[in-house]
């Protein structure tokens, strides 16, 4: 079954619920970036957050970027998502030499640092939100970000379960937000339900569907599922895009690369796709550039 996100409301519209299964997303990222277990978990969590937050955007052409920078050995992670279920991302360091039997906690890999949230909503300047990392486990950091930067009481859960060979067994998460002026009784009922529910990935691993899990969690809170949407790892890089990027580098730099008379290889950070350019390709980019400038 493909990954998907489920959107719902509960508590008479006072609670917004976004829940997602992201096993395929997290496993695709692991294969593309050849990550060691702790990096697979960290990247899977941030990709899940990206899928959820992408689905929360209101307009189809909005773009979200989540960036974590830390002083731990992983150094950082970058994820982008659109409102149509396309998510991509990469770790700054792929392999921390940890193993499935001796895993490093995600917080130790990330360390202290910051979380940046960029929302390009089609205006001249993107919305930029920022919060210090409070735990380095990502879900708590996002909860804190929402409280501090957007002033929305939010519960975030993100999980990645691994198989013995390091591949992703289950991944998923949810974001639950309270509208302003939510009744205390609704908040109490939600807190009690959250405290009593086992982890999402554990329940998925028992064969339960996302729908069942969310229905049980909100059984006393009048849940209304509004829709589900497919999500996937998708990179929109292309030879044309890389060519455009090459056109924008300095003329002297291009001339210097061409003078080496060797093919160059450019790697897409997000999906590891390799693009090759011969000196002739680069010369034609330079000529095209010169033509534009003339
Ligand atoms: Zn790519």
């Amino acid at each position: 079954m493909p990954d998907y996100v489920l959107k719902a409301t509960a508590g008479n519209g006072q609670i917004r619920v976004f829940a997602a299964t992201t096993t395929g997303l997290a496993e695709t990222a692991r294969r593309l970036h050849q990550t060691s277990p702790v990096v697979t978990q960290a990247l899977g969590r941030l990709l899940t957050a990206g899928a959820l937050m992408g689905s929360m955007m209101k307009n189809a052409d909005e773009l979200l970027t989540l960036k974590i920078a830390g002083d731990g050995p992983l150094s950082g992670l970058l994820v982008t998502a659109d409102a149509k279920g396309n998510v991509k991302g990469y770790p700054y360091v792929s392999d921390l030499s940890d193993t499935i039997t001796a895993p490093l906690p995600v917080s130790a890999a990330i360390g202290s640092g910051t979380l940046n949230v960029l929302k390009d909503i089609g205006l001249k300047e993107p919305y930029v939100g920022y919060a210090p990392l409070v735990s380095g486990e990502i879900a708590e950091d996002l909860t804190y970000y929402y409280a501090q930067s957007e002033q929305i009481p939010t519960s975030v859960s993100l999980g990645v379960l691994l198989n013995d060979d390091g591949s992703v067994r289950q991944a998923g998460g949810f974001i639950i937000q309270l509208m302003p002026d939510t009744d205390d009784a609704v908040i109490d009922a939600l807190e009690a339900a959250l405290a009593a529910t086992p982890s999402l990935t554990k329940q998925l691993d028992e064969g339960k569907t996302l729908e069942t899990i969310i229905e049980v969690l909100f059984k006393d809170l009048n849940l209304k599922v509004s829709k589900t949407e497919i999500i996937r790892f998708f990179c929109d890089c292309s030879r044309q895009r890389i060519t455009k990027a090459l056109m924008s580098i300095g003329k002297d730099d291009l001339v210097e690369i061409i003078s080496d008379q060797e093919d160059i290889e450019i790697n897409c950070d997000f999906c590891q796709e390799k693009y090759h350019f011969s000196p002739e390709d680069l010369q034609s980019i330079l000529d095209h550039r010169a033509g534009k400038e003339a």
Side-chain angles (χ1 to χ4, degrees), residues 84-115:
K84 295 168 230 160
N86 299 311
V87 189
K88 60 181 178 178
Y90 64 89
Y92 294 178
V93 177
S94 296
D95 186 354
L96 291 184
S97 306
D98 58 315
T99 61
I100 206 85
T101 44
L104 201 64
V106 169
S107 56
I110 291 177
S112 309
T114 52
L115 165 72

Side-chain angles (χ1 to χ4, degrees), residues 28-102:
T28 301
R30 183 194 70 85
R31 266 190 290 109
L32 290 174
H33 298 295
Q34 295 290 305
T35 46
S36 65
V38 67
V39 185
T40 306
Q41 288 182 315
L43 183 58
R45 288 183 197 175
L46 198 64
L47 286 165
T48 303
L52 289 164
M53 291 171 73
S55 79
M56 293 161 77
M57 296 191 295
K58 290 185 182 72
N59 300 313
D61 53 354
E62 287 181 34
L63 268 180
L64 168 84
T65 303
L66 297 175
K67 197 169 106 183
I68 284 179
D71 61 4
L74 174 53
S75 168
L77 304 152
L78 188 89
V79 162
T80 74
D82 67 16
K84 295 168 230 160
N86 299 311
V87 189
K88 60 181 178 178
Y90 64 89
Y92 294 178
V93 177
S94 296
D95 186 354
L96 291 184
S97 306
D98 58 315
T99 61
I100 206 85
T101 44

Side-chain angles (χ1 to χ4, degrees), residues 113-140:
T114 52
L115 165 72
N116 276 286
V117 178
L118 258 99
K119 291 180 197 169
D120 187 347
I121 50 177
L123 302 173
K124 219 171 190 180
E125 296 292 324
Y127 163 88
V128 184
Y130 151 91
L133 298 175
V134 287
S135 82
E137 292 286 338
I138 304 178
E140 291 88 342

Side-chain angles (χ1 to χ4, degrees), residues 235 237 268 271:
C235 186
C237 69
C268 173
C271 70

Side-chain angles (χ1 to χ4, degrees), residues 88 233-238 267-273 275:
K88 60 181 178 178
F233 192 104
F234 176 74
C235 186
D236 54 357
C237 69
S238 64
N267 233 9
C268 173
D269 285 336
F270 286 100
C271 70
Q272 299 295 335
E273 180 75 36
Y275 295 92

